Amino acid sequence: MDQKKYELEINSAKTLDELSQLEIKYLGRNGQINKLLSEIKNVPNEEKREYGQKVNLLKTEIKKYIEIRKLIVSKEKSEVFFDKTLPGKAYPKGSIHIVSYAIEEITKIFEKIGFIRVSYPEVDWEYGAFESLNMPSGHPARDDVETSFIDVPAHPNLGKMVLTPHTSNGQNREMKRVKTPPIRMINISKCYRPNWDPTHTPMFHQFEGLCVDSDISIVNLRGTLDYFAEKYFGKGTKTRLRPHHFQFTEPSFEVDISCNNCGGIGKYKGEKCRVCKSGWLELGGTGMVHPNVLREGGIDPSANSGWAFGFGIERVIMMKYGLDDIRNYYSGDIRFLEQF
Ligand code: FA5
């Protein structure tokens, strides 16, 4: 074989790919070296040994040329020489995000008692977020729910486009979807309000329960809240209702749960409980669905009644684990997230 030829060929290769091709051409199973070796049968016996040695020397030399050229090309082109035979690296496994985990837990708790998980749009019209909930345009109650509007032309009937500020926008849609009660909905979705402090983020999650049937009373509501509180926060957790006002429920309440740290007493080891300060923690809003809301959803309020609640997911997590800043959930700090 002409030494000048293979030397030139190898040294003018510009990529690792070209070098792999040359490797096959010279050193492969059907390559030139093997061809030379197979010709040994035609060499006179007394010359066989010398012939074999020469071919092996040639093989070692070509190998060396190719390896050296590979290093040069890798450096020049910053191509990394990839050794497929090295064992792979074991990357650490991630875990489910604290909010996704809570969503799964809450969904299971409600599915057990016949509620159906739904998701409604996070970008909706004012109709879904307000009008359908007994909050007509210009009503001052709208100001209580700070809202981000989207800069597109308004819908002629449904109003401006909004980032939904609460999951209550699912109530009207669910009533219209089911048409005939019973309705047992658990609507979990992202919500948006322009807030930023330890207990408020611009994007957060709510879960909304809605139960409508021919004979639903506040007793069913209490029973369901107690069931949820015990299942999610632990045995012995109690609930209490405080009168409140929401435009879409009548009567309306704020729900509190007893603090697990002090057992609802407000004192822990003789001192004021640092988690609740009063024995109770505020969970969110609830009430009996306003007849106007049922009517707007196509349901006859003289034959049906219902209740609804809307709680913050970030908040229930905070209460369950005694956390003090929900902004950490979205900081992307793995040291915080991997604790759960
Ligand atoms: C409502 O949003 C009502 N739609 C709840 C409701 C539904 C009442 C059905 C009656 C019947 P409120 O504005 O209080 O209510 O919000 C409910 C919960 O959402 C709060 O208790 C809080 O936990 C959570 N929340 C509200 N804003 C934020 C925010 N910016 N960041 C994190 N959580 C929030």
Side-chain angles (χ1 to χ4, degrees), residues 133 144-145 165-169 171 191-197 199-209 244 246 248-249 252-254 282-288 307-316 326:
L133 292 164
D144 298 344
V145 190
H166 54 178
T167 41
S168 300
N169 73 322
Q171 291 192 18
C191 302
Y192 304 85
R193 294 186 198 178
N195 311 133
W196 180 255
D197 63 44
T199 53
H200 296 87
T201 45
M203 186 283 295
F204 60 102
H205 297 73
Q206 282 188 346
F207 59 112
E208 180 104 1
H244 195 71
F246 290 106
F248 32 94
T249 43
S252 303
F253 308 95
E254 290 261 288
E282 190 186 306
L283 190 58
T286 187
M288 299 304 290
W307 52 252
F309 66 75
F311 304 149
I313 300 236
E314 284 77 0
R315 168 152 274 252
V316 294
I326 66 170

Side-chain angles (χ1 to χ4, degrees), residues 222-242:
R222 295 274 345 219
T224 311
L225 292 174
D226 285 343
Y227 162 79
F228 169 71
E230 281 222 337
K231 287 283 176 215
Y232 188 74
F233 294 105
K235 258 203 153 2
T237 310
K238 294 179 197 67
T239 63
R240 81 172 178 191
L241 300 182
R242 278 180 294 110

